[in-house]
């Protein structure tokens, strides 16, 4: 078997984060070095608890989980309980986890790991606000040239925003962190709303998880039932967008996605457009090409991958 891809998943679970984690747990191509948690969809204490619940659901209590930033760098924390529920993981009833949280802070873990592994080997998969990654870059700027790539869910251009008319949640929550990350010269692949809004959790797709004979499939269906109700209402679609698993799916099957290498700059000044990802899709500036921005996903292929993999979990 070819060498596994070493990854760190930085996340704020969240049902769609949870499905992304399950997909990673089910994928032998990936070596999960750790999961680091950040405040986002719900406060930090809950994102850390939820990450542990999901690892135990997926039969991997051995995964190391590190707790990270409790709030964004500059702004006050904005959460999204209206989407994810009070716990951040409303839907299935999952047991309280027994696996531990590591003592080391996530930011120290990220720095130490990148500095001690060969340069250009570790991929960061970011599923929430970019606070942990930015703080790690501030703490040890030399990590920038050691990160192989960042694959991030965030932003939007053609679809604009989901939390304000111009900003997507992950970038809006910590735009200052996002600016540090996008300006650091690290290769980035971005999954914006333009792409994730095509990956809809239709009834038919959810049923495929519900009818699995393992525990992870029906739990996924219960999470998606809860998660989609807010967006179905908002967008009037059959199903809601399944954002975060696109990050992991791209690592496994990049051919499911299409996009282009462009400049992404983050708005941090105007309150009206705070957290907007200004994507130079038509290359009208000479700004550096800092991110491969995905525009389309083969939604059928994406859900087939998810189904096939989650079926292999306990
Ligand atoms: C992003 O925001 C969160 O609510 C989801 O988990 C996803 O990471 C979508 O805008
Ligand atoms: Ca998320």
């Amino acid at each position: 078997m070819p060498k596994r891809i070493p990854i760190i998943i930085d996340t704020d679970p969240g049902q769609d984060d949870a499905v992304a984690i399950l997909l990673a747990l089910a994928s032998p191509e990936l070596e999960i070095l750790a999961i680091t948690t950040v405040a986002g969809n719900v406060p930090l204490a809950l994102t850390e608890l939820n990450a542990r619940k999901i690892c135990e659901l997926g039969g991997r209590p051995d995964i190391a989980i590190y707790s990270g930033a409790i709030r964004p760098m500059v702004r006050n924390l904005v959460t999204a309980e209206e989407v994810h529920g009070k716990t951040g993981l409303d839907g299935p009833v999952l047991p309280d986890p027994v696996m531990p949280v590591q003592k080391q802070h996530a930011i120290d873990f990220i720095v130490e790991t990148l500095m001690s592994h060969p340069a250009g080997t570790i991929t960061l998969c970011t599923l929430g606000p970019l606070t942990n990654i930015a703080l790690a870059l501030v703490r040890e700027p030399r990590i920038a040239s050691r990160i192989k790539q960042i694959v991030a869910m965030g932003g939007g251009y053609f679809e604009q925003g989901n939390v304000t008319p111009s900003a997507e949640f992950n970038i809006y929550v910590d735009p200052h962190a996002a600016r540090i990350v996008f300006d650091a010269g690290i290769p980035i692949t971005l999954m914006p709303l333009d792409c994730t809004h095509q990956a809809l959790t239709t009834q038919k797709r959810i049923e495929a998880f519900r009818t699995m004979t393992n525990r992870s499939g029906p739990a996924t269906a219960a999470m998606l039932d809860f998660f989609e109700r807010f967006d179905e209402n908002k967008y009037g679609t059959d199903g809601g967008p399944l954002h975060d698993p696109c990050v992991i799916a791209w690592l496994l099957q990049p051919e499911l996605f299409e996009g282009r290498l462009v400049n992404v700059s983050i708005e941090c000044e105007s309150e009206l457009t705070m957290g907007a990802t200004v994507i130079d899709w038509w290359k009208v500036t000479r700004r550096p090409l800092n991110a491969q921005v995905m525009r389309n996903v083969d939604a059928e292929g994406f859900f087939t991958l998810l189904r096939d993999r989650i079926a292999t979990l306990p």
Side-chain angles (χ1 to χ4, degrees):
M1 192 173 132
K3 220 171 147 331
R4 292 187 299 161
I5 305 169
I7 64 169
I8 296 172
I9 302 177
D10 188 70
T11 177
D12 63 336
Q15 292 89 349
D16 62 325
D17 302 72
V19 178
I21 293 169
L22 290 176
L23 175 61
L25 294 177
S27 296
E29 302 92 329
L30 306 178
E31 179 191 6
I32 304 173
L33 300 178
I35 293 178
T36 54
T37 61
V38 66
N41 287 323
V42 282
L44 183 68
L46 287 172
T47 61
E48 174 248 286
L49 179 77
N50 293 343
R52 288 155 65 216
K53 283 185 178 172
I54 293 304
C55 286
E56 290 193 1
L57 172 68
R60 292 294 305 279
D62 58 300
I63 299 277
I65 297 190
Y66 296 83
S67 206
I70 200 159
R71 49 156 291 181
M73 294 182 76
V74 178
R75 292 166 67 84
N76 292 329
L77 177 64
V78 174
T79 51
E81 284 85 355
E82 72 283 9
V83 183
H84 301 272
K86 234 179 145 51
T87 66
L89 212 55
D90 281 22
V93 181
L94 298 174
D96 281 337
V98 294
M99 65 186 282
V101 184
Q102 303 299 310
K103 290 209 173 59
Q104 192 179 27
H105 194 281
I107 293 159
D108 293 331
F109 167 78
I110 291 169
V111 169
E112 200 181 288
T113 306
L114 284 162
M115 294 308 287
S116 62
H117 280 66
T121 54
I122 295 177
T123 293
L124 304 182
C125 300
T126 67
L127 315 179
L130 289 160
T131 320
N132 286 343
I133 313 304
L135 288 172
L137 282 162
V138 169
R139 179 159 187 151
E140 178 45 275
R142 286 180 299 170
I143 65 171
S145 61
R146 303 184 69 84
I147 298 169
K148 179 174 185 207
Q149 59 183 344
I150 295 177
V151 190
M153 191 280 137
Y157 177 64
F158 297 97
E159 293 283 302
Q160 302 237 335
N162 61 358
V163 62
T164 74
S166 36
E168 179 279 330
F169 181 81
N170 289 343
I171 307 294
Y172 179 74
V173 171
D174 200 341
H176 301 90
R179 180 181 275 183
I180 288 173
V181 172
F182 278 85
D183 288 354
I186 303 161
I188 296 176
T189 295
L190 186 67
M191 297 291 161
L193 299 177
D194 310 315
C195 180
T196 66
H197 276 188
Q198 297 169 16
L200 294 176
T201 57
T202 61
Q203 262 323 304
K204 192 166 158 238
R205 289 170 178 160
I206 293 184
E207 285 320 306
F209 294 109
R210 204 185 316 282
T211 51
M212 287 177 190
T213 52
N214 59 2
R215 64 173 186 242
S216 296
T220 299
M223 283 193 276
L224 297 183
D225 281 343
F226 186 88
F227 181 56
E228 68 168 10
R229 87 211 181 291
F230 182 86
D231 282 338
E232 279 189 324
N233 218 4
K234 182 172 169 188
Y235 300 116
T237 43
D238 173 14
L242 191 53
H243 309 280
D244 292 338
C246 288
V247 166
I248 306 297
W250 182 81
L251 282 174
L252 300 170
Q253 292 186 8
E255 65 281 5
L256 292 174
F257 298 87
E258 98 192 353
R260 42 169 100 157
L261 182 63
V262 293
N263 175 267
V264 179
S265 299
I266 312 295
E267 173 62 53
C268 293
E269 275 83 40
S270 152
E271 197 51 51
L272 185 64
T273 55
M274 184 63 70
T277 41
V278 180
I279 297 181
D280 188 3
W281 189 257
W282 305 111
K283 302 203 173 138
V284 294
T285 70
R286 287 170 187 251
R287 292 180 196 140
L289 305 178
N290 60 351
Q292 200 181 177
V293 176
M294 294 301 141
R295 174 78 174 95
N296 291 305
V297 56
D298 165 1
E300 246 351 282
F302 167 71
F303 277 94
T304 302
L305 172 69
L306 268 176
R307 252 192 338 257
D308 290 351
R309 297 296 171 103
I310 287 179
T312 67
L313 288 173

